Amino acid sequence: DTEVTQTPKHLVMGMTNKKSLKCEQHMGHRAMYWYKQKAKKPPELMFVYSYEKLSINESVPSRFSPECPNSSLLNLHLHALQPEDSALYLCASSQGRQGRETQYFGPGTRLLVL
Amino acid sequence: AQSVTQPDIHITVSEGASLELRCNYSYGATPYLFWYVQSPGQGLQLLLKYFSGDTLVQGIKGFEAEFKRSQSSFNLRKPSVHWSDAAEYFCAVGLETGRRALTFGSGTRLQVQP
């Protein structure tokens, strides 16, 4: 099974709201990722967790706060977002030696910030 | 720095016709290469990958790709396209050292005419 699940599928929030995106995988993968994807663009890396520790933060604004409570779960906490943060947020996981690992993506959460 | 180029932003083919999507990479060593497909509003699905060995790799849904070191290319092919193949296709590169993240090409949108 190569499934990564994400909830919710869709989210609408105001600029003063606090919300969270959730990602889950049960493949035993030890690396997990958050990507942001705008329409007609490739995914942009936001964060990488390796063995539950944050290993890459691509200079993401602090209004996005990642969390990895355990090896199967990855959250993205959202606070005081801007309309330009509206996008598809993708989670992925992988296992294996760097470079040779295959990233498996979830279906994404479509976020609209009003 | 490594880069991935997909020269064709948009391709239209007739159903039943053959397809070739181009991907060129720039990287000093042998990269690890991937093709992903994304249907509208969905996550990315892995079509195939190349790590080493046989330079012609087979993937899901009848797709194949050929790694050509001399041309720094990893083109995706399908002998007969189906209407359900209409989607966005991304080529990506993984690296053995440095940043643990995929570098994506800008994508090619495939439209299939009946």
Side-chain angles (χ1 to χ4, degrees):
Chain A
D1 184 11
T2 57
E3 188 177 27
V4 177
T5 59
Q6 290 187 244
T7 54
K9 289 190 188 309
H10 302 275
L11 180 62
V12 180
M13 59 186 292
M15 290 189 283
T16 58
N17 291 160
K18 283 186 181 181
K19 297 287 184 183
S20 296
L21 309 184
K22 180 181 173 182
C23 173
E24 195 164 3
Q25 58 89 12
H26 294 287
M27 296 178 278
H29 290 176
R30 302 314 297 267
M32 296 186 75
Y33 311 75
W34 280 116
Y35 289 86
K36 174 183 177 180
Q37 187 180 26
K38 302 285 273 186
K40 302 186 190 303
K41 296 290 187 183
E44 297 175 16
L45 184 68
M46 300 175 72
F47 303 103
V48 180
Y49 273 83
S50 180
Y51 290 88
E52 300 162 47
K53 293 192 185 321
L54 184 64
S55 62
I56 295 178
N57 176 343
E58 290 287 280
S59 302
V60 178
S62 59
R63 57 185 184 268
F64 294 90
S65 175
E67 178 196 20
C68 189
N70 60 57
S71 59
S72 301
L73 275 177
L74 187 65
N75 297 321
L76 186 63
H77 303 298
L78 315 172
H79 175 53
L81 294 193
Q82 303 297 309
E84 59 265 29
D85 297 320
S86 299
L88 182 68
Y89 288 83
L90 294 165
C91 174
S93 70
S94 70
Q95 178 75 334
R97 201 173 87 196
Q98 180 177 329
R100 285 178 168 258
E101 57 204 320
T102 301
Q103 289 190 25
Y104 294 95
F105 286 80
T109 293
R110 175 76 58 188
L111 174 66
L112 177 62
V113 182
L114 301 176
Chain B
Q2 73 282 358
S3 65
V4 181
T5 303
Q6 293 180 246
D8 305 304
I9 296 172
H10 187 199
I11 284 183
T12 300
V13 300
S14 298
E15 191 167 15
S18 63
L19 172 70
E20 182 169 28
L21 302 182
R22 295 183 291 165
C23 173
N24 293 96
Y25 65 90
S26 172
Y27 179 54
T30 300
Y32 303 116
L33 296 158
F34 306 83
W35 274 101
Y36 286 89
V37 61
Q38 186 178 33
S39 297
Q42 302 297 313
L44 278 69
Q45 182 182 24
L46 179 71
L47 285 176
L48 46 77
K49 59 190 176 185
Y50 173 77
F51 291 164
S52 64
D54 192 348
T55 56
L56 184 64
V57 294
Q58 301 297 319
I60 62 171
K61 303 186 180 190
F63 286 93
E64 67 177 27
E66 187 170 14
F67 171 61
K68 292 186 177 180
R69 184 188 303 275
S70 61
Q71 298 177 19
S72 298
S73 69
F74 188 55
N75 294 348
L76 182 71
R77 300 193 295 247
K78 186 169 185 177
S80 177
V81 169
H82 188 262
W83 63 267
S84 60
D85 294 323
E88 187 86 22
Y89 290 80
F90 292 100
C91 181
V93 170
L95 303 178
E96 196 165 34
T97 59
R99 215 181 81 175
R100 184 177 198 158
L102 292 175
T103 299
F104 285 92
S106 54
T108 298
R109 178 163 297 277
L110 174 65
Q111 189 172 354
V112 180
Q113 286 182 336

